[in-house]
Every structure is written in C-alpha cells, then in structure tokens.
Amino acid sequence: MKLFVSDGNPHCVKVLAVLEFTGVKCDVKHVNHEERVVPYLSRPALPALLLPSGTHLFSPNSICQYLIELNGQESSDIVNQWLEWEATELQPAVMHALHMVVLQGKGAETPRVLQGPLSYLDQSLSQRTTLFLTAEMVSVADVVLWAALYPILSDSSLVSGNQTLQLWFERVGMLAACVSAAQTVLQGKGLKAESLKTYLQRQPTTHHGQGQVQGRGTQPCNSPEGDDDDCVLSEEEIQSAAVTWGKGLTDLPMVPERQHPILPQEGKRNVLVTSALPYVNNVPHLGNIIGCVLSADVFARYGRLRGWNVLYVCGTDEYGTATENKAREEGLTAQQICDKYHAVHASIYQWFQVDFDFFGRTTTKKQTEIAQNIFWRLHERGFLLEDIVEQLRCEACQRFLADRFVEGTCPFCSYPEARGDQCDKCGKLINAVELREPTCKVCSQTPVVQSSKHLFLDLPKLEAELEQWLERSTGSGDWTANAKQITRSWVRDGLKPRCITRDLKWGTPVPHPDFSDKVFYVWFDAPIGYLSITANYTDQWEKWWKNPQQVELYNFMAKDNVPFHSVVFPCSLLGAQDNYTLVNHLVATEYLNYEDTKFSKSRGVGVFGDMAKDTGIPSDVWRFYLLYLRPEGQDSAFSWVDMATKNNSELLNNLGNFINRAGMFVSKFFESCVPAMALQQEDKRLLAQVGWELKQYINLMDRVKIRDALKCILNISRHGNQYIQVNEPWKKIKGDETDRQRSGTVTGVSVNVACLLSVMLQPYMPTVSHTIRQQLNAPPSVTGTLLQGTGNFVCSLPAGHHIGTVSPLFQKLESEQIESLKKRFGGQQPKTTAQPDVNAQPATTPASDPAAQTAVNGADAERARELTLAVAEQAEKVRTLKGQKAEKTVIGAEVTKLLELKKQLSLAEGKDPEPVLTKGKKNAQPATTPASDPAAQTAVNGADAERARELTLAVAEQVTWGGNKCNELGIRGETMEV
Amino acid sequence: MSLKELSSLEKALGLKKPNKYSTQGDRKVPVLQTINGQALVGLVTIATHLVQEAKRPELLGGSAEHKAVVQQWLEYRVTKVDGCHKEDIKTILKDLNSYLEDKVYLAGNQFTLADTLMYYGIHHVIVDLAVQEKEKYMNMTRWFDHVQHYPSVRHHLPPVVVLRNRVYTSGHH
C-alpha cells in the first residue's frame, strides 16, 4: 500500500493524521502537486492511496474511512454525516477562505465566508455532552474536521468566538498524530507555510458559488484564451518589487562567452542537454522539430542565460535498415545517403536557429570504439545471453531480410500483400517467419527460414538495479508525467532479454568473433551516439559522461522514445559498470498533429523542415508558434489559421505593439533618452505584477514547462499594454509639468519592461530578442542580472540612458497568404478543404442527429447512408464466399470491391479515408510483381512508417522483448527518428 | 430533487413505509427524522442509512476496500457532480469514462449504491448529450445504459436512448 502526498496540500494533513492515528502500515511518498497519480483522473488528485489490488482511492475522506476500517472500526451514521458535511459544506468554505487569506491577503474577510459552517459546528458541539464530535473517544470525524480547520484555526486572529469549537479544536490538536501530520505537510506553520501558498497558487480557481446548481445546458464552453488568472498582490509584495527595481543592474559578471570545449566545472551547475537523435533518412517535420531539437534548444539557451554551464549535443542517427533501404531507392551507397541527409538536417536546424554546441553523427570511429567497449564490459560481466532466432533469408540477395523487405500472405486474414511486420488489412502484427508464401521485396524470390545465433541483453538481471535508480531519478528529477507513466508500465510488465544484434551490414560491427557478420541493433547503438558525438566534440568527453556526481543530464524526446531512454539504455550503462552519467530529467512531449490530421510525407501533408523557410515566415515566428503549441501534457495541432491568429494577435498586437510603443515614446517624446521616473503606487503595482510573472517564468522554465513559461512573457506585455493605455503618456506629454513628469515615468517604466521582455524572449526568439536589445541599446549585463536567482526585475535602463533606433518587430500574416500556404501544404486529399477550421468547430451547436453532423462536415449524408448499406451487403457477400471456400481470385475481386466501397463511404462521411486503404488499391497488382514505380514504392514505405508511428506506443507497452519478433525493427525506425 | 431520489431509492430497496423528509439551507440538503428522534442530514448519509435499514449491506460494498471505493464515488457525486460548472462537465465525463474502461460498475463487478446515486446525479447531463458525445464517452455511456436498465433503479427519471445502432462499423481501428 502506498500513500501519495504533496507538501503544503492541506488535504494531506487529514490522511497523514489518520494514518498515524490508526498505526496502519503504509509507504508514504512525497510527490509534486502536479503529479498525476491516479491514471484515470485528468487533474492531479492528491492525496491518493494506491491499494495492493491496484485500486486508487483519491478522496481524502474515503482514504481516512478506509484506514479506520482496516483498524476494525465501522463508521456509524453520525460519522458519515460529519464526513459528508465536511466534504460538501466545510471544505468549499475553507478553500475559499484560504485562497483569500493566503493569496489575496484579505484576512479580514474570512469570518464572512466561514461564519456559517463554524457556528454550525460550534453549536453542534455545545449541544453534545461528549468530549468529541460523536463520542467520548476521538473518531475519524474529529480528525478529519480538525485537519480541515487546522490551517484556519491555528491562526487565532482570523476567527474569534465559537468557544466550544476552540476547545474541541485544541483537544483534538493535542493528539500526537495531528501534531506530526501538521508538521509534515505544513511545517507546523499553518497559514504561514510557504508550501501552502505554492499549493494554492497551483489550484484552478475554485468557484465560490457555494454549490449552487448552475445552468444545466451542456453546451461546450470555450474556455477563454489564456487563463487570465491575475495574481492578487499584497501591499508587501508591491513594496518589495519597488525595492528590487531600485537596485538597478549589479556588477555581476555577464554571461561569459562560450569557450569550446565546454567541460564540467567545479562549483557550477553542469547541465548536459541531449535531444533524441533524428533519423537520417528523412527530412524532419515540424512535429520532429518541436518534439526534441527545438525544445532542447530553448532549455539550453535558458540555462546559459541563467549562468549554468550547459553543453547541448545532438546529431543524426545513421545506421540501420531504413538507411540501406533509402540508399537502394536513390541508387547511392549508405554512406552517401548519410552524408547527404546529415547536411540536410544540419541546415534545417541552422535555419531554425537551434544552437547546438555540437551537432554530430553516429557513423564515426568513436561510435564503434565506445559501443564496442560497452559491449565488452556487458559481456565480461555476464549481462549478455545467446539465443537462436529464426529469420527469413533471401538466397538470391545473400542476406537476411528485415521486415520491411518481405511480403506475403497474412496468416490471420489471408490478405495477399501483408508486410513482414504487419498486415495492412487486418492490422495484426505479424512475425515475418509466419507469413505464408513470403517473397523478397527486392528480387521477388522466395526466402528461406534460417536460424541465426544472436546476443541478448539480460534485462531481468539488471531489473533490480534499474528500479532502484529509477526510484531515485524520477523522485528527484523533472520527469514529465508521460515519461514516468510509460516507464512504469514497462517495468511493471516485467523485463525480458532483448536482442542487441542484427544480420545487417550498415551498422556498428559486433566485435565478438562468433558474431562477426553482425552489427548492433540500432536501439542498442543509437543512444550510445550521445556519448560518441560528445567524444567527437572533445577528447575529454568522459568528464561529462562518466561524472554523475557533477553532471545533470536532461534528455529531450517525443514520448515514443521514452522506454529506450528510461529502461533500455540505462540498463546498458548500468550493466557496463563504468560510472556513467544517467538521465536525471527525462522530458517527453506528446504528438503534434497537422490541421487535425497527421504529418505525412507520402501524402504531401504537412510542413517539413526544409519547406518552412520557403513560406517567407521568419524563423523566429515559426519557433514562437511551435513553442506556443508545444505538445506539453497533451497532443496539439498545427493549424495555419491559428498560426496567423497567434502571429497577429499575440506577436503583433500584444508583444510587438507594447515593445514598439515603449521605444517610440522614448525616441519621439524624450529625444531617445530614458526620462526620469518618479514611481507612484500604480507603477509599483505594475512592477510587482511583472515581477510575479518573471518569477513564474523562472519557476516554470526550471521545471522545463516551456510552453507555460511563454505565456508569462505574453502576460507581461499584456499588463504593459494596459498600463500604457490607462496612463496615456502620449496625451500627458502635452499637458502641464506634472503631467509631463507622469508621462516620463510611464514611458521609462514601460521601456524597462520591454528590456526585460527581450531577455525573457531570448530562448524562444533569439533574433527578435537581439533586435530589441539593439534597438534599446541595452547594456550586455541585462541578460546576466534579470534572470538570476528567482528573478530580479530591476531598472536596467536608468534615466539618461540613450536608446537606438526603434522599428516594428513583426509583420501581419494576411489571410490570403495563409490560405495559399494552407493549399500548398495541405496535401491532395479532398478532405483538407472539407475539414472545418479548428476555430470553427461545429461543436458549439451539438448536432444530435448523426446525419446533420455529417452534413456539417460538408459531406453528403444521403450518399453515406446508401453506401453504408452497400458496404454491409458487400461485406456479407465476402463472408459468404469465404464460408463456401470459394476460389481465391473470386474472393479477392469481391474484397477489392468492398475496399472501394468503404473508401467511398469514408469520403462521403467527410472522413479521411484510411491511407493504407488508398495505397492498397493503388497497389492492387499481382503480389509477385514488386511495385516497379519508385514513387509508389516510397508511398508504400511512407504509409508503413505512418502506421508504425500509430502503433509504436501501443506496441512499446507490449512488444515481445525477445529478438525473434522481427517487427521491432519497423518500430525502431520511427522511434529513433522522432 | 434529492427528495425524489430518496423516494426512488426507497422503492428500489423495497422499503415499505415511505419516510418523511425535509430540507435545510439554500442547497436544500435533505434531512431525515429517524425513529429514535435523531435527524440525519445529507444525501449520502441518508441513502447509506436506508440501505442498512433495508438490510442490503452488499450495496455498500463487502470488503473494507470495496466500501471505501463506494464511499468515494458517493462523495464524488455530491461534491463534484452536484452543482458542477459547465466547464467541469466534460472533465467529469472524461474521467468517469476512463475510469469505467475496465469496470462494469463503479465499484468493479458489483452493483452498489454508488451506481444508483451517480446515475440519479448525472442523468440530467446525459439527457442533453448529443449522440456523438455519447459515443465519445463510450464506457461511461455503456455503464449508464446498464444502470438505467438495472432492475428497479429508474423510477422518477425518463429513460435515455444512448446508443446509435450501427449497420456496419467502419472497422479500421
């Protein structure tokens, strides 16, 4: 049994008190407020109790009741009644009051909120003759109510009167269990606990409607853009913001120029950042870019600004079947393919201003050295096993066939064109040796099954050590929730030995004499790329990679790559026993979709890295929009219309407008010289608001919440715009002396906010950030000072400072421009035009009739209905024929008809016809002739990749670990790519 | 509202003598005056009491764990579902849907009081859902349909047609 609690969360006081009170044995684990312990709840719910059966209890009161029940006490009607009252009446009032006192500093108003429930409790107690709520003995109701009231009543100044209540509260509070629970959660400080404040800040604003039944319509409500949940500032916070401001720039050393090679330094925070190695044989799309290299870049840039000693390495992953395949297609050697695409990747990332310290590749001598060294160490320590694997081998081509090189009849549904890893028709995963009538896709000969000896990494032997390390790393580091969850499910299902060798040519050779014609399986090899790429950067690479004491390692990737980084690769390194640096913070994104569909090279849908620059939209704007959309916590979708909206509303009208106005006022009204500032309350208020957002920004960035931190920047410029709007410096400048002074103060404060923004923007939009600093002629030390510690919003452009020439930062994206881009990158599918915009979802008026719904999608409902019937008929016909064991060709013809009907139906319903189906039709030639058209070939492979992506996650959780499942290769191609 | 629920529950439990209820406060919390002169307040408390009175303890769960799960969903009903804001409805539906993915009833394989009260409490939401939304929350809808057809549960509420019959599923996924 495991109890999850978080610091500062007052609900946790209850359960910890009851836990100690009952003496039930249970592990207590402290986690972050955001930790989603209960898998089925979309919002974090703490405390939570995980029972041995795997059931979660997430209601604090039910957890308490359960603990009491384990102790052999039944709860009575009266106990139930108090608990229900606590949950429905007292709790909402307490949370409301805490919010007011702690966050808004409005202690004086708490009695109004709490009076009702407190006097009810007081009266109930005075009517009783017993010492406690329900009896002479303490019951669970006493502890629960005490804990609920603890933060409020421990501060005697807040609520007075209610004498019986006070006595009861003190009596219960004397229980050792209560004292220690209050100590654990709130450090015994009650309301003044800093952790309580942090907790309350993270809570969604509670609706203080006191449980009124709201309108019962179920119209989906559009949550307003950006939760403008303004922080409420106390007087002290405002004053302290003014004090900070007055400090000005310190003489702190500037962020030093980078000197290569960067090596870990004693006494510094040494941060090693890696981004998943993109697979070399394809051009990355926007999803790939935001998923790893760009996210890691923002974090690395931020770290450098913070003065950490950061090294950011990445490179192309070049070995494997997919490369061999591509080489064959393009008529080049594998090495030529790698050279060609490595350059393509490098130039794309350069255009996106991804600032690697080193961008290397995996096909190097260092890779061979390090991979073979790790291999031998694992071998010497007995972590490798041998086993026989059955594989298909083509005698004509003289090689073992990877899954994507075999085709045959599906053993499950008899579809004649099933691939070596999966059937396109029934979707089942296939082990290539199970295919009936297999053929080699290259030469069309029939391959034979051959046994081949392979090496396996003995994961079960390393499991205990892995789990120990995982416990530590996930407990102390910033692992994203999906990373933890995927890892947990892999480990929970038990680890099996995993094949590390392949019968391929293009790979790192296995040095063992018994396996001389084999290479390392790419999942084993590719992550070693991080080490070898660093080794190609500096000979002293071991100072980074064999130095867990001094180095903190951040891995960035998309979620399909998690198991390789959290389970498999760490096992290789742990087994090698060479003091390797293991990942401390595993940061995984979800997926980015394209206009609510998937990026697909084969269908020409989506924007690929090399096309972005042809759009004429600046790299910084691309970065901004991708980061604004960063699939943090859930999938998100790229949309052209939305991109234009965000550019025009956020960049142009909000951020750009503010910075430009601030600068223009200085240059137009004050001859480019920052005016003197005499701060009034209103100005200090703005300083405090901005300072608060800055703190949030740092807080979020430190925990790699890159998208959320970007919102802080936009909030600041929103505050700034309001401030200018209200104070109207352009009017006041024409007024009397006082007015003119006021105009000067507002302008001076605004231009300083603009300067702060330039620094905060640097990780996101480096060029824009640089331009602003140039326009403002900002001193170089701003970058160092403003982001130190928890953030200092100081006056960095003092009165008298001369600024440079101010000009607009952003351009409007016109709707014609966007429409044409949308057409250009939308692909040829008719559905893209029928697809409603994200912003114009039909959901606002929920159509109750399915036909109406289809009509909204711009498709023909009547036709859909006809087709549905036709499909059903045809399907029945096929079933009958199969049942009668009819001629294969006859069935085949009918199946083709059925597929065609289904496709038409999909179109009529306004859905995307399954891509695989379309290809299936296009490819409806005798299975024995391989597709002769190279374009069609790519299309098929493209569709495979798409399919593999869909399945990766599903498979990742249940892949057979043994190497005899050849379908792993198909999956890997995707997993290292993203 | 909750009084109707309690009277339906009494019928479902087969209690012969209907009880008299009053309400208190703005939220119209139900109050039951029991025979021994004690007043019970609150929907969950009273419903739990009625189940015991009807000698149907299995409806509150068998084991300690089971009981806690039942209590938890009863509490969820009165704290989260009742009086929820429009924007929270989707979260509730989504959470229930993913919770019910591998369960027949709220407390696993056994029908309990939690199912009855959750059904009463969420009925008004389900009535207003479009077919597509019901399909989106498939597990929750399946549970709802199951409970509304559970013997003698549905008394004061109209039945809701929940599923569209598909002639043929598109079946690619």
Side-chain angles (χ1 to χ4, degrees):
Chain A
M1 204 158 68
K2 208 167 195 178
L3 181 63
F4 295 86
V5 295
S6 63
D7 285 345
N9 176 343
H11 305 298
C12 296
V13 179
K14 285 180 190 173
V15 293
L16 286 175
V18 173
L19 182 65
E20 183 158 339
F21 180 66
T22 54
V24 171
K25 269 185 86 95
C26 175
D27 285 344
V28 176
K29 193 168 159 56
H30 289 257
V31 294
N32 289 331
H33 299 302
E34 286 90 2
E35 178 92 18
R36 278 181 55 197
V37 176
V38 186
Y40 49 84
L41 294 183
S42 23
R43 291 183 191 143
L46 289 168
L49 182 68
L50 173 60
L51 303 177
S53 65
T55 304
H56 286 94
L57 292 179
F58 58 83
S59 136
N61 290 4
S62 302
I63 295 174
C64 294
Q65 272 174 302
Y66 174 71
L67 293 172
I68 289 278
E69 179 118 11
L70 281 188
N71 228 25
Q73 286 159 270
E74 295 272 331
S75 53
S76 59
D77 277 345
I78 182 150
V79 169
N80 287 342
Q81 179 172 322
W82 277 119
L83 293 181
E84 185 177 358
W85 179 79
E86 193 274 341
T88 54
E89 307 275 339
L90 181 61
Q91 203 49 248
V94 166
M95 290 313 283
H96 189 181
L98 286 178
H99 199 263
M100 288 202 312
V101 182
V102 179
L103 296 185
Q104 309 181 342
K106 291 193 264 185
E109 289 178 41
T110 40
R112 182 176 61 79
V113 181
L114 282 169
Q115 195 187 18
L118 289 190
S119 51
Y120 175 77
L121 183 54
D122 186 57
Q123 276 173 22
S124 306
L125 281 162
S126 4
Q127 282 162 12
R128 291 200 66 95
T129 49
T130 52
L131 274 177
F132 293 98
L133 264 177
T134 61
E136 287 297 334
M137 301 276 290
V138 171
S139 76
V140 63
D142 291 292
V143 182
V144 165
L145 263 73
W146 172 86
L149 289 168
Y150 164 74
I152 299 283
L153 291 190
S154 58
D155 185 338
S156 52
S157 69
L158 277 181
V159 197
S160 50
N162 306 321
Q163 265 202 333
T164 327
L165 171 61
Q166 292 289 353
L167 287 172
W168 164 86
F169 179 77
E170 282 161 26
R171 207 173 299 141
V172 182
M174 286 191 305
L175 290 174
C178 292
V179 175
S180 91
Q183 187 64 38
T184 312
V185 180
L186 298 168
Q187 298 81 46
K189 289 185 195 151
L191 279 175
K192 294 189 185 65
E194 197 55 33
S195 58
L196 175 65
K197 186 169 181 183
T198 321
Y199 168 79
L200 289 170
Q201 281 169 343
R202 307 265 161 84
Q203 295 309 300
T205 19
T206 40
H207 307 293
H208 305 305
Q210 286 289 311
Q212 276 163 20
V213 178
Q214 296 290 316
R216 290 197 157 165
T218 45
Q219 279 194 335
C221 18
N222 302 314
S223 58
E225 272 293 298
D227 319 323
D228 280 326
D229 188 11
D230 275 348
C231 62
V232 185
L233 299 159
S234 68
E235 190 53 36
E236 298 88 73
E237 281 169 303
I238 293 175
Q239 289 313 326
S240 96
V243 172
T244 309
W245 162 268
K247 285 182 189 154
L249 289 178
T250 48
D251 296 327
L252 270 175
M254 294 184 260
V255 175
E257 277 293 302
R258 264 184 281 172
Q259 295 226 327
H260 294 293
I262 300 165
L263 295 172
Q265 291 169 28
E266 187 70 48
K268 275 230 168 188
R269 185 165 175 202
N270 297 301
V271 175
L272 177 54
V273 178
T274 71
S275 145
L277 305 182
Y279 200 71
V280 79
N281 78 329
N282 232 330
V283 180
H285 59 64
L286 297 183
N288 303 142
I289 291 169
I290 185 65
C292 44
V293 287
L294 183 54
S295 295
D297 179 57
V298 173
F299 187 71
R301 283 173 179 272
Y302 169 76
R304 292 178 196 128
L305 284 180
R306 291 274 273 160
W308 305 338
N309 187 35
V310 178
L311 179 70
Y312 176 20
V313 292
C314 185
T316 41
D317 171 19
E318 308 194 341
Y319 285 129
T321 336
T323 310
E324 282 186 348
N325 201 7
K326 189 81 174 181
R328 196 165 293 115
E329 253 169 47
E330 297 196 10
L332 298 169
T333 65
Q335 187 63 58
Q336 283 169 323
I337 281 288
C338 292
D339 293 348
K340 174 179 161 187
Y341 280 96
H342 174 79
V344 169
H345 276 264
S347 81
I348 289 172
Y349 302 139
Q350 193 179 12
W351 187 78
F352 275 96
Q353 307 172 73
V354 176
D355 189 7
F356 302 113
D357 290 302
F358 189 70
F359 186 70
R361 46 202 303 191
T362 54
T363 51
T364 63
K365 244 169 62 194
K366 293 280 180 203
Q367 175 75 11
T368 310
E369 273 171 42
I370 297 172
Q372 293 188 348
N373 173 266
I374 291 177
F375 166 81
W376 281 121
R377 294 186 70 96
L378 288 168
H379 191 267
E380 286 156 13
R381 285 161 181 76
F383 290 119
L384 296 181
L385 306 168
E386 281 182 18
D387 201 0
I388 305 289
V389 177
E390 287 194 331
Q391 272 179 293
L392 290 175
R393 185 181 162 83
C394 178
E395 294 300 341
C397 301
Q398 281 288 302
R399 59 191 193 117
F400 284 94
L401 296 178
D403 304 332
R404 50 181 82 186
F405 289 105
V406 199
E407 230 176 41
T409 304
C410 172
F412 304 104
C413 73
S414 299
Y415 179 64
E417 289 168 54
R419 291 174 292 118
D421 51 354
Q422 191 186 23
C423 173
D424 280 346
K425 180 139 170 280
C426 67
K428 290 214 170 78
L429 295 179
I430 299 171
N431 191 343
V433 291
E434 294 165 357
L435 277 180
R436 298 207 303 262
E437 298 157 39
T439 54
C440 168
K441 270 173 87 171
V442 177
C443 69
S444 303
Q445 298 293 309
T446 304
V448 293
V449 176
Q450 248 191 32
S451 302
S452 166
K453 201 163 62 165
H454 281 278
L455 283 164
F456 290 74
L457 180 61
D458 193 351
L459 294 177
K461 208 166 167 181
L462 290 157
E463 191 166 345
E465 201 180 339
L466 176 80
E467 283 198 56
Q468 258 183 14
W469 164 74
L470 274 175
E471 179 92 355
R472 273 200 313 275
S473 182
T474 56
S476 60
D478 284 314
W479 287 50
T480 50
N482 56 357
K484 285 194 227 184
Q485 195 191 334
I486 293 168
T487 306
R488 222 178 279 140
S489 75
W490 266 54
V491 176
R492 186 196 55 212
D493 296 345
L495 303 180
K496 296 183 191 67
R498 200 172 165 88
C499 189
I500 65 164
T501 52
R502 294 310 276 168
D503 289 295
L504 282 180
K505 292 198 175 67
W506 188 240
T508 303
V510 178
H512 195 292
D514 297 354
F515 300 86
S516 54
D517 53 345
K518 296 187 185 345
V519 299
F520 288 125
Y521 208 159
V522 189
W523 66 258
F524 175 77
D525 193 51
I528 295 175
Y530 296 135
L531 282 58
S532 75
I533 287 169
T534 315
N536 279 306
Y537 165 70
T538 168
D539 288 343
Q540 304 175 66
W541 65 278
E542 289 173 332
K543 287 194 176 161
W544 284 106
W545 285 101
K546 295 187 183 178
N547 191 0
Q549 297 78 14
Q550 278 193 324
V551 173
E552 259 182 85
L553 174 59
Y554 283 81
N555 286 165
F556 285 79
M557 68 203 69
K559 68 178 172 190
D560 52 356
N561 239 323
V562 166
F564 297 94
H565 289 79
S566 66
V567 176
V568 182
F569 186 47
C571 278
S572 301
L573 295 183
L574 286 169
Q577 297 175 351
D578 207 5
N579 193 32
Y580 277 110
T581 306
L582 299 177
V583 60
N584 303 90
H585 312 273
L586 203 158
V587 186
T589 54
E590 303 284 321
Y591 296 132
L592 178 71
N593 293 320
Y594 180 77
E595 299 271 2
D596 285 345
T597 171
K598 290 187 158 91
F599 282 89
S600 166
K601 185 94 195 174
S602 56
R603 287 183 293 149
V605 173
V607 184
F608 291 78
D610 51 347
M611 306 170 181
K613 65 168 171 277
D614 302 336
T615 58
I617 298 171
S619 158
D620 268 26
V621 174
W622 275 108
R623 287 176 63 110
F624 166 80
Y625 184 58
L626 290 175
L627 291 160
Y628 189 93
L629 278 187
R630 183 171 187 263
E632 217 164 271
Q634 58 183 6
D635 289 0
S636 60
F638 176 94
S639 136
W640 285 104
V641 174
D642 186 47
M643 181 175 188
T645 314
K646 291 294 159 359
N647 177 74
N648 299 344
S649 64
E650 291 292 5
L651 288 184
L652 192 68
N653 291 343
N654 175 11
L655 187 69
N657 184 40
F658 170 71
I659 294 172
N660 191 246
R661 275 167 111 189
M664 286 310 283
F665 291 154
V666 179
S667 60
K668 257 176 43 196
F669 303 146
F670 302 95
E671 282 122 22
S672 295
C673 180
V674 176
M677 292 161 265
L679 298 184
Q680 296 183 0
Q681 183 66 7
E682 192 180 350
D683 310 313
K684 293 178 183 168
R685 216 181 155 71
L686 178 77
L687 299 184
Q689 274 172 336
V690 171
W692 191 81
E693 294 288 352
L694 173 62
K695 282 197 171 56
Q696 290 292 104
Y697 169 90
I698 288 180
N699 195 356
L700 290 164
M701 275 298 225
D702 278 354
R703 291 179 298 128
V704 212
K705 305 269 185 217
I706 294 173
R707 188 197 55 196
D708 292 349
L710 179 54
K711 305 273 156 76
C712 297
I713 298 181
L714 299 171
N715 283 344
I716 291 182
S717 60
R718 245 187 294 276
H719 286 311
N721 274 321
Q722 262 169 25
Y723 172 76
I724 291 184
Q725 212 52 38
V726 170
N727 289 292
E728 304 180 316
W730 66 93
K731 280 190 189 160
K732 295 223 165 81
I733 190 72
K734 298 178 192 135
D736 59 16
E737 186 54 32
T738 337
D739 271 358
R740 291 234 300 282
Q741 260 182 19
R742 184 74 199 127
S743 172
T745 305
V746 173
T747 303
V749 169
S750 299
V751 79
N752 270 286
V753 173
C755 183
L756 170 71
L757 284 172
S758 76
V759 179
M760 293 170 78
L761 270 175
Q762 204 273 349
Y764 295 90
M765 306 175 83
T767 308
V768 168
S769 161
H770 184 74
T771 312
I772 301 171
R773 269 177 290 143
Q774 241 172 3
Q775 292 187 1
L776 299 182
N777 196 15
S781 57
V782 285
T783 47
T785 312
L786 300 178
L787 296 187
Q788 291 315 306
T790 56
N792 319 292
F793 179 32
V794 302
C795 176
S796 51
L797 307 177
H801 171 89
H802 281 272
I803 67 166
T805 315
V806 178
S807 60
L809 298 165
F810 302 106
Q811 273 189 341
K812 189 167 182 200
L813 285 176
E814 302 293 345
S815 55
E816 305 86 65
Q817 195 184 348
I818 283 299
E819 278 311 311
S820 85
L821 288 171
K822 199 171 164 181
K823 271 211 196 88
R824 195 164 132 205
F825 296 103
Q828 287 78 47
Q829 302 292 326
K831 62 150 280 280
T832 10
T833 43
Q835 185 88 4
D837 289 335
V838 190
N839 297 332
Q841 282 173 355
T844 35
T845 46
S848 51
D849 174 3
Q853 180 71 21
T854 0
V856 174
N857 286 340
D860 185 349
E862 195 50 46
R863 173 119 182 92
R865 221 168 282 146
E866 282 170 26
L867 282 166
T868 312
L869 288 172
V871 164
E873 261 177 40
Q874 184 66 21
E876 188 50 43
K877 193 166 172 187
V878 171
R879 269 195 292 275
T880 319
L881 282 171
K882 279 186 180 165
Q884 294 163 347
K885 306 238 180 321
E887 280 287 322
K888 221 172 164 185
T889 47
V890 178
I891 298 180
E894 295 302 328
V895 167
T896 314
K897 259 190 223 166
L898 176 59
L899 293 177
E900 177 57 26
L901 280 170
K902 282 193 193 174
K903 188 187 143 202
Q904 284 178 14
L905 174 59
S906 300
L907 288 173
E909 285 180 340
K911 285 186 211 145
D912 179 14
E914 181 74 1
V916 177
L917 258 184
T918 331
K919 305 307 177 224
K921 201 203 144 229
K922 200 175 1 179
N923 239 17
Q925 328 162 340
T928 39
T929 33
S932 51
D933 171 11
Q937 183 74 33
T938 352
V940 173
N941 290 330
D944 292 358
E946 210 49 53
R947 191 75 198 167
R949 186 193 307 283
E950 281 176 27
L951 282 154
T952 309
L953 206 74
V955 176
E957 296 190 2
Q958 47 178 294
V959 143
T960 315
W961 283 73
N964 58 348
K965 273 277 181 198
C966 299
N967 56 42
E968 281 175 6
L969 195 64
I971 293 151
R972 193 221 51 88
E974 283 302 301
T975 46
M976 283 316 291
E977 174 187 331
V978 181
Chain B
M1 184 61 203
S2 52
L3 298 193
K4 274 196 189 147
E5 266 181 61
L6 286 169
S7 114
S8 292
L9 180 64
E10 285 179 350
K11 286 181 203 147
L13 291 169
L15 288 171
K16 292 277 155 18
K17 266 193 311 197
N19 286 299
K20 277 236 168 64
Y21 301 100
S22 52
T23 58
Q24 77 178 29
D26 300 341
R27 291 201 308 121
K28 301 230 184 315
V29 180
V31 181
L32 168 67
Q33 211 66 43
T34 56
I35 324 151
N36 55 21
Q38 192 198 0
L40 286 180
V41 187
L43 180 65
V44 172
T45 308
I46 297 174
T48 309
H49 174 80
L50 293 178
V51 169
Q52 279 158 349
E53 202 178 308
K55 308 242 175 327
R56 298 280 302 280
E58 76 280 3
L59 289 178
L60 298 174
S63 61
E65 170 175 337
H66 216 173
K67 282 182 191 164
V69 173
V70 174
Q71 281 306 318
Q72 160 161 298
W73 289 107
L74 289 173
E75 184 191 310
Y76 189 92
R77 150 71 209 272
V78 290
T79 56
K80 299 282 190 328
V81 180
D82 287 358
C84 74
H85 277 242
K86 268 189 285 183
E87 53 263 47
D88 297 330
I89 287 176
K90 286 203 162 173
T91 315
I92 290 173
L93 292 175
K94 189 166 158 264
D95 289 1
L96 279 175
N97 189 58
S98 73
Y99 175 72
L100 287 165
E101 190 179 355
D102 55 355
K103 291 173 192 69
V104 183
Y105 298 109
L106 285 172
N109 293 325
Q110 197 193 331
F111 180 86
T112 64
L113 181 64
D115 296 297
T116 313
L117 289 203
M118 187 70 85
Y119 161 71
Y120 290 155
I122 209 162
H123 184 277
H124 71 271
V125 175
I126 308 296
V127 168
D128 289 344
L129 288 187
V131 181
Q132 285 80 1
E133 288 175 286
K134 286 180 197 156
E135 289 191 354
K136 185 171 162 201
Y137 305 114
M138 184 62 89
N139 306 313
M140 192 275 312
T141 314
R142 187 244 315 133
W143 162 84
F144 183 86
D145 198 31
H146 201 57
V147 174
Q148 73 173 348
H149 290 108
Y150 198 85
S152 72
V153 166
R154 188 174 55 73
H155 276 280
H156 64 288
L157 296 168
V160 181
V161 178
V162 295
L163 295 176
R164 161 168 65 160
N165 279 327
R166 287 183 167 193
V167 182
Y168 189 80
T169 58
S170 52
H172 303 315
H173 292 284

